[in-house]
Structures are given as C-alpha cells and as structure tokens.
C-alpha cells in the first residue's frame, strides 16, 4: 500500500466501506418514520423546530472517489464514520445518529419540505403570529435552492390566506421588506442598497431603521421584489460556487390591517421572516 494517509487509505477501501453503509441502510430502512406535515391545530408551529435536508452527492465528488456516508432516516440523520485502524489495515464504521424534528433525504421534494417546515408558520402568521425560518448550511449545500422554493410557496399561500380571511370579515394587506446583513453593515435590498441601522425600541425589541416596506398585491409582485433584491446581494466566488452569497438576507412579509396606513404598531397583524444565511466554508 505504501506510505499513504488515513484519508487515502479510506478511499482505497471505498468499496468495503460502501458495502457496510449499504448493509446498514438495508437493515434500518424500515425503522424510518413516514414524513408527514404537522396536523392543523398542533403546537409544532408555536415552538422552535430543527430540520435537516440531505443534498445528493455531486458528480465531481464521485469522480474523486468519494462516497456517500450520510443517511436520512426520519427523524434521524446517521453519519457513517468510516475509519482506518492506526496500522491502516483494519477498518471500522461507526454509525452516529443525530435526532431532528424532520430529516429529509436527498429525494425529498421541495413541496414536502415546505409543507412540513414552513407552511404551518405561514398559517400561524396569517392568524396573527410571528414566525421565522432560518436556512443554514455549507456553501453549495442547496440553501438558496430550498429557500427560493419556500419563498415561492409562501407567497402563494399568503395571498390564498388573505382571501380566506376576507371571507371571515378580516381584511389584510401585504408589505415586504428585504435587507441584507454583510458583516456589521445592513443594506436595504429594495432601496438601492441604502444603508440601514439597528435601534432598540422602548419595548425592548430591535428595530431596523430606514428600511423600505413595499406593498404588494399578488404572489408575482412579491417574488419580483425578491428577485430584484437577490440581484443586489453581496456575492463572490468560493471553492464551491462561482457566485456565492456572502451575506445574510432577511425577507419580511408583513400582514397588516387593510384599514390602517401605519407601517408600525397596531396595523401589524402577522409577520413571516425568511432568513437565508451566508454559506459556511467549513
């Protein structure tokens, strides 16, 4: 075998390790719970939940001889820690399990992710609540892909919810604010990257000073603003992407009493905040 590192030795024994992972999956596949969205009226949308979505292994990784060592068995993610013994001859695989509220495999659809993770929060906000979705992960792992899908579906559900609320005598309008956090600076993505500032109000809450809130009347108008704002986000090339966002984007969809013209205060009936965090390089 020669003088090789543990990593090189793991790659040399890829077939043996892959066989061990395949055997584990075959033995534990039936132990996975079926993915299903939370039932209406459950308390799952009134608490913090943590979900993970596994991405497919990339062609360039396969070309390097890498292999898939992550298995999603809802509600667990299993990392198959493939190790060589100190003598680089013995092999061992530790199957390390991490529990989550939802664990999505690489074949999970955007619709399923949205229905389980974000759709209940949209309904909560239409009913007058405050909700937030944070998207975090390594650069190139598919954060923005997933967040874009959530934004599209949330926009449609918000306006469907407004129609339902109007039938019950509650008339709402929609405002959108979109800004980025780049280091210690904040910029308004709907107002030509105008600098913003943070202030703590008398109520102890943090407020964004100077942000533009734009009224929208349809899902298409909302998503057009998101596309325009995304084009202004701070980005640069990384080892994973030629054009990777290097800032945190914060999209606030604000539901207000249609009879009120106030931007803050009693006119706010519900808020949905969608945060697409900058990719981690580690």
């Amino acid at each position: 075998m020669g003088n090789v590192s543990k990593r090189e030795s793991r790659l040399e024994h890829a077939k043996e390790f892959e066989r061990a992972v395949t055997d584990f999956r075959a033995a534990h596949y039936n132990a996975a719970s079926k993915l299903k969205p939370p039932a209406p009226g459950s308390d799952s949308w009134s608490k913090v939940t943590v979900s993970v979505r596994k991405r497919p292994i990339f062609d360039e990784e396969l070309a390097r001889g890498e292999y898939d060592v992550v298995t999603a068995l809802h509600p667990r993610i299993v990392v198959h820690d493939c190790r060589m013994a100190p003598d680089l001859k013995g092999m061992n695989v530790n199957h390390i399990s991490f529990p989550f509220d939802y664990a999505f495999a690489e074949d999970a659809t955007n619709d399923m992710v949205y229905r389980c993770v974000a759709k209940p929060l949209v309904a909560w906000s239409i009913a007058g609540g405050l909700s937030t979705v944070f998207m975090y992960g390594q650069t190139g792992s598919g954060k923005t892909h997933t967040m874009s899908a959530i934004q599209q579906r949330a926009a449609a559900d918000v306006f469907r919810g407004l129609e339902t609320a109007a039938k019950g005598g509650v008339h709402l309008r929609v405002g959108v604010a979109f800004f980025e956090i780049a280091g210690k600076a904040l910029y308004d993505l709907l107002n030509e990257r105008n600098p913003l500032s943070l202030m703590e109000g008398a109520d102890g809450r943090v407020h964004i000073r100077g942000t533009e809130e734009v009224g929208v009347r349809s899902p298409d108008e909302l998503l057009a603003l998101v596309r325009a704002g995304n084009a202004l986000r701070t980005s640069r090339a990384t080892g994973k992407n030629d054009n990777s966002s290097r800032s945190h984007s914060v999209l606030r969809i604000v539901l207000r009493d249609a009879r009120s013209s106030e931007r803050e205060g009693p006119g706010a009936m519900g808020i949905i905040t969608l945060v697409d965090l900058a990719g981690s390089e580690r």
Side-chain angles (χ1 to χ4, degrees):
M1 180 161 40
N3 186 20
V4 297
S5 67
K6 288 185 178 180
R7 174 178 172 76
E8 291 171 328
S9 187
R10 284 198 297 268
L11 292 177
E12 285 186 7
H13 293 84
K15 294 299 182 184
E16 291 88 341
F17 283 127
E18 284 185 288
R19 190 177 302 115
V21 172
T22 299
D23 290 344
F24 175 91
R25 289 170 176 160
H28 294 82
Y29 179 79
N30 291 331
S33 300
K34 184 178 180 180
L35 279 167
K36 57 182 180 180
S42 70
D43 66 350
S44 62
W45 45 35
S46 62
K47 64 182 182 181
V48 174
T49 61
V50 181
S51 303
V52 64
R53 186 181 194 182
K54 178 191 172 186
R55 68 162 174 83
I57 191 167
F58 296 143
D59 290 340
E60 57 267 29
E61 292 169 327
L62 293 172
R64 293 196 302 265
E66 304 285 357
Y67 43 95
D68 186 354
V69 294
V70 177
T71 300
L73 294 171
H74 175 69
R76 297 181 297 139
I77 288 290
V78 180
V79 176
H80 309 287
D81 184 16
C82 301
R83 291 179 175 268
M84 298 299 300
D87 62 4
L88 299 184
K89 294 181 180 180
M91 292 175 285
N92 185 51
V93 180
N94 296 318
H95 307 288
I96 307 171
S97 178
F98 300 91
F100 293 91
D101 291 286
Y102 285 96
F104 300 98
E106 61 269 39
D107 59 352
T109 64
N110 285 330
D111 278 333
M112 179 57 73
V113 174
Y114 174 73
R115 286 167 54 204
C116 292
V117 174
K119 187 179 180 71
L121 300 180
V122 173
W124 175 266
S125 297
I126 292 173
L130 307 178
S131 60
T132 302
V133 176
F134 283 93
M135 196 71 61
Y136 174 79
Q138 187 181 31
T139 298
S141 61
K143 297 181 308 302
T144 299
H145 167 77
T146 300
M147 180 56 82
S148 295
I150 287 176
Q151 290 168 346
Q152 293 168 15
R153 289 158 177 77
D157 275 352
V158 162
F159 283 93
R160 275 194 290 265
L162 262 60
E163 293 177 1
T164 301
K167 293 177 182 178
V170 178
H171 299 278
L172 302 172
R173 58 186 174 86
V174 181
V176 177
F178 195 21
F179 59 92
E180 74 168 350
I181 304 172
K184 296 183 179 180
L186 282 76
Y187 301 99
D188 193 335
L189 296 176
L190 299 184
N191 189 17
E192 300 179 347
R193 291 180 55 80
N194 184 53
L196 306 172
S197 59
L198 292 174
M199 293 185 61
E200 185 174 347
D203 56 2
R205 296 171 58 188
V206 175
H207 300 268
I208 310 297
R209 183 179 182 181
T211 184
E212 183 82 7
E213 185 177 302
V214 181
V216 292
R217 297 184 178 181
S218 71
D220 288 342
E221 285 187 18
L222 194 161
L223 294 173
L225 288 177
V226 173
R227 287 192 294 271
N230 279 331
L232 297 177
R233 283 185 69 182
T234 301
S235 63
R236 64 174 173 81
T238 68
K240 295 289 184 181
N241 278 335
D242 292 334
N243 186 32
S244 177
S245 298
R246 307 316 303 151
S247 66
H248 310 308
S249 76
V250 182
L251 175 67
R252 297 177 70 216
I253 304 173
V254 185
L255 308 177
R256 301 191 182 281
D257 188 331
R259 298 167 297 181
S260 171
S261 61
E262 298 179 30
R263 291 186 53 205
E264 300 290 345
M269 304 290 285
I271 300 176
I272 310 155
T273 304
L274 304 176
V275 183
D276 185 15
L277 297 171
S280 166
E281 291 300 302
R282 296 185 177 181

